[in-house]
Amino acid sequence: MNVYDTNRMIDALVPHGYENISDIENADLILLNTCHIREKASEKLFSELGRMKELKERRKSNDKETLIGVAGCVAQAQGEEIMKRAPVVNLVFGPQSYHRLPEMVKKANDERVIDTQFPKEDKFDFLPKAKKSSTIKRGLTAFLTVQEGCDKFCTFCVVPYTRGVEQSRPVAAIIAEAKNLVAGGVREITLLGQNVNAYHGENEHGVATSLAKLLHRLAQIEGLERLRYTTSHPNDMGDDLIAAHGDLAQLMPYLHLPVQSGSDKILKSMNRSHTSKKYLNLIEKIKKARPDIAISGDFIVGFPGESDKDFEETINLIKQVGYSSAYSFKYSPRPGTPGALMQDQVPEPVRVERLARLQILLNEQQDEFNKNMVGQIMPVLIDKRGRVSGQIGGRSPYLQAVHFDGSPDLIGSIRDIKIIAGDRHSLKGELVRENGVEVV
Ligand code: 5AD
Ligand code: SF4
């Protein structure tokens, strides 16, 4: 979502004469967009601000002024502290204030600005749409936020405090944004939300619309070949959404469905309000609707009170599901969350060891998933040149990176590729040819 938000910040500033550049030494305005989900992410900000201080001084010695801004969830949670600890910062603003950016930047030339209120208005009503040239530059795949915030209050998580309550954008606004992206060459859209499958935005008649219905609407947009969505909560996986995985050709066979832990005791204490059995049943149901679906997940090890037995239950659950990929983390106590105050914090060395064991298993599963692709023919959305000259690459329906020999002229198309090798991080393939001629 921060990638999406960053693009929207750029879109907000472009009409005011700003241009997004890659050489930071020439930037008059530098915005650091931050994440507060785990401790490391906010530590990174303060070390980055040290670098910004040097850069600002260097530019100053050449008579150039530099404005430094901090955006995102660290700004939201620790705005005052950032202002105090880092005098180099000119403006601080939370995730719900991006639409006020031009005004804030103007003001920041004269005084330090902090805006971490949750405004009454909806930022999406004010953010300008992306210019066609910007969309083209950003490539063939795009993110689109449809839902933001969360009311679930998992006891480890800061999101409900930093992003605010759950809100869904109206269907019409999403369709318009998707059409704008497609007009700029986008062929694959990933719908975003902290709890995306809880989406319930109003349609044109004021009726609450499910994510499944929204996907059906989006699938009607000509030129929009692929749809994905992330991140989902098991409790919001409605029957119509499961069915959509079988019914909608555009909906890719990949689902990120975090479970966090395989122990019912820990799930309860995490306030996940589902059991491991319920999750496993759900996966079974989804696989019935779309047998080849790739399942991905998130895991936290070392949540307070997690015993060896609880951890083994997570290992068992992973073995039962068989993940194509996954993200796993050591529990990181976040200020203001109930988890941080719980007794029985798990000692760091235990967390480290459990994470290592978990990741060995998840890596094995990823290796196996990729190796099983060898011999299959699959449509690949070709979106870039490969690292090796003469090669081009793209993404499989299962979100794997695929590379193969081919002409850069094919970039932008979806072609059938036969997979000839696979390792943990990518697949190697070849263009499907008939009698030595490419199949068009
Ligand atoms: N500690 C470790 N991991 C966390 N996540 C969220 N909060 C924490 C935390 N305090 C992980 C969860 C979530 C993903 C986005 O980040 O697994 O699904
Ligand atoms: Fe955080 Fe996701 Fe739980 Fe919401 S559902 S509190 S975003 S982990």
Side-chain angles (χ1 to χ4, degrees):
M1 189 171 281
N2 273 9
V3 172
Y4 173 83
D5 285 348
T6 301
N7 284 336
R8 297 308 299 263
M9 286 185 225
I10 295 166
D11 297 339
L13 288 168
V14 163
H16 298 268
Y18 282 89
E19 186 195 343
N20 180 29
I21 60 166
S22 51
D23 179 12
I24 198 167
E25 295 286 334
N26 284 326
D28 304 310
L29 168 68
I30 299 169
L31 298 177
L32 301 175
N33 196 7
T34 60
C35 174
H36 199 234
I37 198 88
R38 286 171 295 277
E39 201 173 353
K40 270 209 186 114
S42 42
E43 276 167 18
K44 250 196 234 162
L45 167 68
F46 285 104
S47 71
E48 195 65 20
L49 285 174
R51 232 165 54 93
M52 292 302 114
K53 185 166 173 270
E54 286 167 25
L55 184 133
K56 196 168 180 164
E57 281 162 7
R58 204 161 48 240
R59 280 176 50 91
K60 180 98 185 160
S61 64
N62 290 324
D63 282 337
K64 287 181 184 155
E65 293 298 330
T66 317
L67 284 181
I68 310 276
V70 181
C73 290
V74 181
Q76 183 64 40
Q78 301 181 326
E80 297 288 350
E81 191 189 335
I82 294 167
M83 282 301 210
K84 250 189 248 147
R85 262 178 76 178
V88 66
V89 172
N90 302 91
L91 72 155
V92 163
F93 52 102
Q96 303 310 338
S97 317
Y98 299 152
H99 55 303
R100 297 189 188 150
L101 194 49
E103 191 190 312
M104 286 191 279
V105 167
K106 215 165 144 210
K107 206 164 145 201
N109 281 303
D110 304 318
E111 58 185 280
R112 298 180 89 201
V113 177
I114 177 163
D115 186 347
T116 51
Q117 301 293 318
F118 285 107
K120 268 193 236 82
E121 75 275 10
D122 181 354
K123 67 177 174 219
F124 290 112
D125 292 342
F126 297 89
L127 283 166
K129 65 181 189 181
K131 281 177 86 175
K132 193 168 178 180
S133 55
S134 304
T135 305
I136 291 170
K137 238 192 266 164
R138 287 170 193 161
L140 300 168
T141 61
F143 292 125
L144 199 175
T145 292
V146 301
Q147 178 279 334
E148 217 181 317
C150 185
D151 295 340
K152 294 270 192 298
F153 290 93
C154 298
T155 51
F156 53 81
C157 187
V158 286
V159 165
Y161 311 95
T162 54
R163 287 268 171 184
V165 295
E166 196 194 299
Q167 271 179 314
S168 296
R169 296 178 65 192
V171 172
I174 294 164
I175 303 271
E177 193 170 327
K179 283 186 174 162
N180 193 44
L181 289 169
V182 172
V186 167
R187 308 200 63 189
E188 171 178 307
I189 292 181
T190 302
L191 306 182
L192 295 181
Q194 274 82 33
N195 221 179
V196 73
N197 58 344
Y199 176 81
H200 59 275
E202 286 189 356
N203 70 7
E204 294 80 349
H205 311 291
V207 179
T209 303
S210 67
L211 184 66
K213 287 209 184 87
L214 178 68
L215 286 163
H216 277 274
R217 291 280 303 270
L218 289 164
Q220 287 166 16
I221 297 176
E222 206 170 313
L224 180 50
E225 310 280 351
R226 290 181 163 193
L227 289 165
R228 304 179 187 274
Y229 62 92
T230 197
T231 289
S232 296
H233 191 287
N235 287 2
D236 292 313
M237 211 61 219
D239 285 343
D240 61 346
L241 186 54
I242 296 173
H245 277 282
D247 298 340
L248 271 181
Q250 289 91 336
L251 186 54
M252 290 293 102
Y254 174 96
L255 176 65
H256 184 66
L257 194 61
V259 64
Q260 315 296 355
S261 167
S263 151
D264 288 344
K265 182 189 99 191
I266 295 299
L267 286 171
K268 188 152 194 268
S269 144
M270 284 176 164
N271 193 29
R272 291 289 291 181
S273 58
H274 61 76
T275 58
S276 57
K277 183 92 192 118
K278 186 179 164 190
Y279 179 81
L280 289 169
N281 288 344
L282 192 56
I283 298 284
E284 216 171 276
K285 226 167 142 184
I286 297 161
K287 282 188 172 166
K288 252 190 213 138
R290 181 76 205 224
D292 66 331
I293 199 158
I295 305 287
S296 143
D298 288 344
F299 297 91
I300 297 177
V301 298
F303 186 75
E306 186 187 70
S307 65
D308 285 340
K309 180 172 163 283
D310 295 317
F311 177 65
E312 289 310 324
E313 287 175 2
T314 303
I315 294 280
N316 280 338
L317 179 138
I318 293 173
K319 284 182 181 160
Q320 285 180 72
V321 172
Y323 288 89
S324 67
S325 63
Y327 302 90
S328 47
F329 316 98
K330 281 184 295 177
Y331 172 64
S332 164
R334 309 307 294 127
T337 62
L341 302 173
M342 286 181 188
Q343 304 300 309
D344 301 337
Q345 296 286 331
V346 174
E348 175 68 6
V350 179
R351 284 187 233 185
V352 171
E353 197 201 309
R354 285 183 188 163
L355 185 66
R357 252 192 79 196
L358 193 94
Q359 290 185 337
I360 288 171
L361 176 60
L362 289 168
N363 284 339
E364 278 170 10
Q365 292 194 343
Q366 188 165 336
D367 289 345
E368 177 153 333
F369 185 83
N370 286 352
K371 284 212 182 85
N372 281 340
M373 296 287 146
V374 175
Q376 287 194 38
I377 292 173
M378 58 180 73
V380 170
L381 172 56
I382 305 167
D383 66 351
K384 55 173 167 291
R385 286 168 189 263
R387 257 176 286 150
V388 180
S389 132
Q391 276 191 348
I392 49 178
R395 292 270 165 192
S396 79
Y398 312 103
L399 209 58
Q400 297 141 303
V402 185
H403 55 91
F404 49 92
D405 291 339
S407 154
D409 293 347
L410 294 176
I411 293 174
S413 63
I414 295 177
R415 304 299 283 263
D416 274 344
I417 303 296
K418 182 169 182 188
I419 304 305
I420 54 172
D423 63 23
R424 185 168 304 161
H425 300 293
S426 67
L427 302 178
K428 184 166 169 41
E430 55 189 24
L431 275 160
V432 173
R433 294 166 200 266
E434 267 170 23
N435 307 325
V437 181
E438 258 172 41
V439 180
V440 184

